[in-house]
Amino acid sequence: MKKILLISAASMFMLTGCDLNINEDPNYPTESAVTTDLQFPAVENSIADALGDQMFNYAGFFAQYFEQRPEMNQYNTLAELNLDESSDLFNRCYSNLFAQALEDINSIKKRDTNTADLFACTVMRAYAYQLLVDNMSDVPYTEALQGSSNTMPKWDDGETVYKGVLKELDDAEAAINSSDLMTLTDAMLSKNISQWKGFANALRLRMYLRLIDGGIDASTYEAKVKTLISAGNFFTGDVAWDVYSDAEGQYNPWYGSMFKLSAENHVAAYPIVTYYMATNDPRISYGILKRSSDNTYVGQIPGAKTLYTTWGEKDWKNAQVSEINYAPSKTMPIYLFTQSELQFLIAEAQLRFNSNDAAAKTAYEAGVKADFTSRGIDGAATFLTGNRVNWDSQATSADKLNLIYMQKWAALFYRDHMEAWSEVRRTDVPATYSGAAQGVYKDPTSYTAGNMIIPALHYKTDGLCKRVPYPENARQHNNNTPAVKTIGDRVFWDAK
Amino acid sequence: MEKRLTMILACLFLSIGMAMAQIKVTGTVVSQEDGQPVVGASVLVVGTKTGTVTDVDGKFSLTVAEKGAKLRVSYLGLLPKEVTASENMQITLTSDDKTLNEVVVTAMGIKRSAKALGYSATQVNGDKIAETRTNDVMTSLQGKIAGVTIANTSSDPGASNSVIIRGYSSLSGSNQPLYVIDGVPLTNTSVSSGDGLNSGFDFGNGANAVNPDDVASLTVLKGAAATALYGSRAANGVILITTKTGSKQHKGLGIEYNGGLQWETLLRIPQLQNDFGMGWYGEKTMIENGSWGPKFDGSTLRYGNVYDNSQKLKSYVPIKDNIKDFFDTGLRYSNDISFNGATEASTYFVSLSQIHEDGIIPTDADSYKKYTFSARGSHKIKNLTFSTSLNYSYQNNNFVTTGQKAGSMYNAIMQTPRDISIAEMKDLSDPFNTPGYYYTPYGVTNPYYILNNYQNEYENERFFGKFQIDYDFLKYFKFTYRFGLDTNTGHRDFGQPNMSAIYNGDPDWSDALKSLTGEVYQQTTRQREINQDAMVTFDKDLPESLHLNAVAGFNGNERKYSYFTADVTNLSIPTYFNLSNSAEKPTVSQYSSLRRLMGVYAQAELAWKDMAYLTMTARNDWSSTLPKGNRSFFYPGITASWVFSQLLPENLKKYISFGKLRAAWGKTGNDANVYMTNSVFAQAGSSSSGWGSSSFPFTKNSLNAYTEGNVLGSSTLSPEMTTETELGLNMAFFDNRLSFDFAYYNRITNKQIFSLDMDPATGYTAQNINLGKVRNRGIELLVTGTPIKTNDFQWDLTWNFTKNKNKVLDLPDAFGGETEIYGFSGGTGLYAIEGGEMGVYKAYVAQKTADGKIIVDENGLPLKSTTTQEVGSMNYKYQMGFGSTFKYKGISLAIDFDIRHGGLLFSRTKDIEYFTGNAMQTVYNDRNPWIVPNSVVANGTDAQGNTIYTENTTALTATNIYNYWNNGGIDMDSGFLINKSYVKLRSVVLSWDLPNSWLRNTFLTGVRLSFFGNNLFVWTPSSNTFIDPEVTSFGNDLEGNFGEYSANPSSRKFGFNLNVKF
């Protein structure tokens, strides 16, 4: 009996193996096979994608560059600020930044001891956290990224996170061993560690200014800003993720989305069109098309597409509005930090903290010119002589500061909408039109070109969008997610 | 030939007669049940080897050695009888009492007497399966088996069916049963779309490869105790199919032919309004895809795009049968032929079948071809028996894509204004009917264009079978070795034309066609399953009226799966579907998996006096998909049954013919899917908007990258465990004229293996863990009765009733005690919620005040609740099947109803018909302004800060009437969940067996002509004016219950079949 069983067992196992240790997934490489230099481009890409696709889209509405095309409906909720936690606005960005970018940085840090590599990782980590805080103010930080050992990390307030990542930056920079050269594959800054330091300094400048205007340890950070400015160690060119080309699956992700969606939803908003027009800015032709009905530039009043007819317009259809020109976005890099923005930040610091008008003017003009160059548009010098944008024509320092902010807003269009929206919130420039949106239509003279307009139809806030709601995938799975905030609740540095 | 044989036989008898004193006896054998002659009954002289069989008239003649010799007359299914030989005998055989002596095939192919079973096992005869002439085996059993829910995901030819035994218990794994054909498991994967929202398709499930005409019998094993021998794969029950084998032919050649035609017509489409036509917000327009225009006025209007300075003209009147006129009558023709035979030592059975079906959609874009070939045989050499079964099937499906994207035909049809004729768009050479000039650019195009220019095909070749040795090696022992193989190669071929190139510059190009640059997608899948069993059985009578039957064995199983996929867009030749046809490089991907399972099992059945039975089973499995430490799992089972009617006094036995009590307890386990134990790295990519994607490699910089996977593997996974208790009572009364079989079961599935979503701030979006406990509890009842029974006429009734109640007993609080099964991002979803049923819908509803008034906004439109609310469950409250069979001589009429009550499902068809204003509900108040009844509006706050509500006086304007319906009406989003109750006339079969007397002088042994109809009528609650609630778009398992997303409409099928035996 026993023998027969044994024989039968043997005959069975001859035909199929009996090895049960076969549960290693052959379809994916294991950690040991994936070297850290194969992982770093994924970090850069995940962060760039969050910034350049979804944030580019919604912040484009919040910064009042974009409006929803009248006969389409895809982004009604963004134009009319009909947003809450159920709107699924930030889920994917949140997930991509944490589960991809930040987790990959963690994984690299575990295996890489090269201090230059670690510094670059820290810069990207700080950048990702800056995006998270600027969107929702609070975010898991001290307990984040611990896998199954802490499935419900506590959320930290934005100030803790800002200060935390700034300290991480300082520590990682101090730790760089001068004999270490960067080894990670780096399609963004070509492993150039001084560029990385310059990027880190620009990031510091951006974040310090937010802390200062948020009224947090203002004097300390003013001193730090001055130190940064006088050292002048910033990056050259733009910090951009430039990997896209003209083929399906290789497009810039925002363009790719619009392409896949197969519907042209974006028209230009009233503020950006009026401001470009008022300043005789040739850059208007870069991202905005003339409306088809009469070949002129006409922006749409925010949140008003369904109301024009009730205000007295006979028809308010696609032909009545200037469309966004999708062509430049096809292979456009994603800009993590433009040279132009850096120059405007330097101009602001020189003006506010050093009272150095000449240096401020130089930086201001460099900012404008850098943006013209970036778009391949000539005539920056001529443009700068225009009365409204000429440095020396401004009466007061306050006017000059306002001009820096306005031109930064104009220069961030079709470049970095997330930053534009953040800067509108920090500086309150462009200023907000005081009346109801209908007033802009009824009496255009009551409106100053470029001013923000509280959307004519708006649902979940009384004013402009001040933050994004907490993501649903955190709300559902993490009991430590803070109580619901509306989009009218300000982020921590948005004190004014 | 026939005659000559008889001659020889006669000579034979004659020669014997010369040698001995012989007496010739003759007689007729008839059946008591119908008085008909019994053909092929065996008549044997007791104590000798002399015998004969009856002819087509039931007559026999025989020579016996002496007067008073005993004859034994027997026939399968009738009780054998011993009679004394005489002249002109009239022998009446009575029906074998089925309830008492039916033999049921149970786990591992072990045949057991029905009365011995301690659990519920339903056996269905192959004839019953074949009579409704369905393409696959399971569809014919819809509504006929208590405790088993069988549904077709769609009426499209060749689509999947779903078989759920005793409710859904696994949250993440498959809930479909294990199919075992002649002892060999068959892979039953469904080839359907993972993206029912955008492009749905369903090319059927694995079990469709079985030819219904090959089936001898089918057994449904429901409970854990019944299935335990099959181990971890049988946690959801087992469908055991025994195929036909060869038998000795008494008359004729053993050839059987079936052939028939079937027609299909549209069964259910939405009921649409006939008052308003093309337009939006109450105004006429020329390019809208909806009927929100003004009232029909009979005027003549221009519409659509301008081509060559002209425009299409239409009358502004409704086209009432617009959708109906579009669909066709489908046609299927099928042929099946088999021959079989046997000698003392060998048997064989060979069959060949063919099905060609073209469904109700015009063109053959919805078609199905199936060919099967099978050969089975056995050969016996002394105490060794070799047997084999070889089956091959070829299937070819074409499926018309469903969902919301370009390429979905029904989506385009549903968005047609009531005054635009669909049927008139058939001529694709008319520029107005091309996508470039189609009357609307809003995401839909001419359905005829889709049918004629898209490709969506699946081709599948399958081979399955077994090799088996049985060896009777000692007096009471038998050894069996079985090698089973199931291999399958499938190829999917999808092509979308480059409409962007063809229609560049046409009016609809920029809005609708620009991004449709064409696509070719090819996927080849390969699947192989090897299953081996070695077992020893022992069977012996013991002293004290005991009988022991025991089995012990090994099982080894290996499953291998792989696919290769290539995809390219931007086609150079717009309608040529080949991977080379693009300037861009195809993207390719590959996948493979391998898993093994080893098991040992044993079963012992002890019987006492044919009255009490005790069975114990045990199995231990080792699975490769679990972490090493948790790899081994054991599950025992025990069942008992007691035929108490044996003890009844004789006077009671007149009334109670049979009675049995049974009880069973058992466990089954379920291992994990492959590769859930480790975390992996994957090629990186991102999509923060969810539409496009930017993925590595980036060709511009020749840049590739890998990212750590987002799902955290688990090294502590343990098997899912199901424990089930079952009690049953089976009784028959009045000589078996009335009987019932009742079962109660309680099944708990614990430690479900799940990929649970996490807060991504942990670094992962999900982790694989064991969690949760789900209970299914219910009753099953089968009542059968024979109200009328005469010599010529019989009327049988059956009624089965199933009530299953499931409950999620436990989900980790840490994760909010709920998990989503399927749903729309941020909207309507199907959930498992602790304390509730499995499959609870949550959706936005209208805001209401404490006293139930609807709160509206300043425009008079109902306000949506701030969060989604629980609004009902997906589960039927009960299911019933009702069958009635009339038999008169050779004519039989069988009618079966399938009744399902309760439950909800999402209907996008309703959603889209509210959006387009085609639904008849949308003409409420003749579309004149109206105020939402019983509504209030917020009007400041009181001293305590509570909102004050005052009566709403704002009427809905034309724009807001559209908004109101588009939002789902008064129920908002939850309004698109509809009651899925229905009553279906599932099948009607009228058959006529030609009388034997007609066939006497022909070569034929039997001719049956039958007319059949399936799904002839469906009745639904009056609120469902939209769909046949059986159709779904999200696969054939748990998620499939979510509902339909512009699924193709269902059809009724009817036809005739000719069965000839010779």
Side-chain angles (χ1 to χ4, degrees), chain B residues 601-619:
Chain B
Y601 54 85
Q603 173 174 292
E605 180 201 310
L606 201 59
W608 181 67
K609 278 188 171 171
D610 283 352
M611 188 162 86
Y613 301 86
L614 183 71
T615 307
M616 282 166 288
T617 55
R619 176 162 170 145

Side-chain angles (χ1 to χ4, degrees), chain B residues 50-67:
Chain B
T50 312
T52 185
V53 290
T54 54
D55 64 12
V56 283
D57 299 320
K59 289 197 159 60
F60 71 93
S61 79
L62 193 68
T63 335
V64 293
E66 52 184 341
K67 223 177 177 180

Side-chain angles (χ1 to χ4, degrees), chain B residues 336-632:
Chain B
D336 172 276
I337 187 158
S338 67
F339 50 96
N340 77 89
T343 66
E344 290 299 325
S346 306
T347 69
Y348 68 90
F349 178 95
V350 182
S351 79
L352 186 64
S353 81
Q354 160 275 332
I355 285 174
H356 275 212
E357 182 173 358
D358 181 357
I360 55 173
I361 296 168
T363 76
D364 56 4
D366 62 329
S367 62
Y368 178 57
K369 284 179 195 156
K370 172 173 158 181
Y371 298 88
T372 70
F373 169 75
S374 66
R376 286 181 275 278
S378 69
H379 186 67
K380 197 170 174 182
I381 309 165
K382 289 186 178 168
N383 47 4
L384 259 183
T385 308
F386 297 89
S387 53
T388 181
S389 164
L390 307 170
N391 306 275
Y392 167 85
S393 82
Y394 169 88
Q395 293 177 80
N396 180 308
N397 297 29
N398 282 281
F399 195 96
V400 179
T401 310
T402 61
Q404 66 184 352
K405 274 221 173 146
S408 166
M409 174 206 75
Y410 206 49
N411 185 41
I413 289 173
M414 287 292 111
Q415 299 189 39
T416 308
R418 296 299 292 137
D419 48 330
I420 302 289
S421 166
I422 305 170
E424 280 176 19
M425 297 188 290
K426 197 169 183 173
D427 177 11
L428 295 174
S429 64
D430 178 346
F432 287 112
N433 294 338
T434 63
Y437 283 90
Y438 192 62
Y439 70 90
T440 179
Y442 297 127
V444 290
T445 193
N446 187 347
Y448 287 104
Y449 181 86
I450 293 171
L451 296 178
N452 285 292
N453 291 281
Y454 277 69
Q455 179 158 315
N456 193 16
E457 189 179 4
Y458 180 72
E459 191 179 60
N460 164 297
E461 276 189 287
R462 182 168 205 136
F463 174 81
F464 60 96
K466 69 163 180 182
F467 169 79
Q468 184 171 325
I469 305 172
D470 293 283
Y471 177 46
D472 292 304
F473 63 97
L474 279 172
K475 196 169 177 193
Y476 306 111
F477 287 94
K478 189 168 106 172
F479 168 75
T480 301
Y481 168 74
R482 187 188 298 127
F483 173 83
L485 178 70
D486 174 16
T487 71
N488 182 26
T489 305
H491 183 81
R492 188 164 169 243
D493 188 343
F494 174 82
Q496 181 193 52
N498 185 346
M499 293 192 251
S500 181
I502 307 171
Y503 303 108
N504 195 350
D506 285 359
D508 290 339
W509 180 76
S510 72
D511 277 320
L513 306 172
K514 197 170 54 179
S515 70
L516 302 177
T517 61
E519 184 182 2
V520 173
Y521 173 95
Q522 306 261 322
Q523 184 183 48
T524 300
T525 52
R526 296 200 306 160
Q527 212 168 279
R528 188 188 77 192
E529 175 164 357
I530 293 174
N531 193 75
Q532 298 185 80
D533 279 298
M535 59 182 184
V536 174
T537 50
F538 172 83
D539 192 275
K540 189 180 186 310
D541 281 326
L542 302 176
E544 306 287 335
S545 303
L546 286 172
H547 181 93
L548 177 69
N549 179 298
V551 54
F554 285 95
N555 172 246
N557 181 276
E558 177 183 286
R559 279 170 276 165
K560 199 174 172 181
Y561 171 74
S562 65
Y563 68 70
F564 186 82
T565 296
D567 182 37
V568 72
T569 54
N570 220 339
L571 304 186
S572 309
I573 304 166
T575 53
Y576 173 54
F577 301 133
N578 188 293
L579 288 167
S580 62
N581 179 29
S582 174
E584 291 175 8
K585 276 188 187 161
T587 53
V588 295
S589 62
Q590 63 174 80
Y591 176 84
S592 71
S593 70
L594 178 67
R595 64 192 297 171
R596 290 200 185 104
L597 186 78
M598 301 289 163
V600 292
Y601 54 85
Q603 173 174 292
E605 180 201 310
L606 201 59
W608 181 67
K609 278 188 171 171
D610 283 352
M611 188 162 86
Y613 301 86
L614 183 71
T615 307
M616 282 166 288
T617 55
R619 176 162 170 145
N620 200 90
D621 273 351
W622 291 266
S623 167
S624 72
T625 65
L626 291 165
K628 226 171 179 175
N630 296 335
R631 184 168 282 164
S632 162

Side-chain angles (χ1 to χ4, degrees), chain A residues 31-52:
Chain A
E31 184 163 15
S32 56
V34 176
T35 51
T36 53
D37 64 316
L38 269 173
Q39 233 178 319
F40 193 63
V43 170
E44 293 178 325
N45 184 60
S46 309
I47 294 175
D49 185 278
L51 176 74

